[in-house]
Amino acid sequence: MVMKRFTQAVVVSVLLCLSGTVIAANQYVLAVSNGIGGTVQISVSFGNVAKAWDGSITLLIDEGSQVKLDAVANPGYHFARWMGVTSFNSPVLTFDMSQDWALQAIF
């Protein structure tokens, strides 16, 4: 197994407004890396706000944000599984942020 050092850190933050008071939502870490043989397309949405990235990245994401990971194999490779989540072998993974995640696409 090859582990990559994350070289990017991005904060995805949405402030909630309640009765005129601005509060920050709970946030969780999403660390995604693509293995040899492909890349991962990452999209995060919260309400009407959406962002997208390609490749290995570490993000700080608001609780309740929807995350979609799409593992895309390079020519000559195929997606095998996600490391970091059990029993899920589809290249597309969608979930709501409610905990920290460290995931790697294995090709």
Side-chain angles (χ1 to χ4, degrees), residues 35-105:
I36 296 169
T39 189
V40 179
Q41 297 173 347
I42 305 149
S43 62
V44 177
S45 61
F46 189 94
N48 294 327
V49 179
K51 294 290 239 177
W53 298 268
D54 285 336
S56 298
I57 195 165
T58 299
L59 303 168
L60 189 58
I61 300 175
D62 287 344
E63 180 176 28
S65 296
Q66 186 175 57
V67 175
K68 180 181 177 189
L69 307 177
D70 190 359
V72 180
N74 292 339
Y77 289 85
H78 70 277
F79 174 79
R81 64 184 172 88
W82 290 101
M83 186 168 62
V85 62
T86 58
S87 305
F88 201 84
N89 294 328
S90 171
V92 178
L93 182 59
T94 303
F95 55 93
D96 291 334
M97 285 300 287
S98 60
Q99 67 182 51
D100 294 330
W101 288 97
L103 302 165
Q104 181 178 14

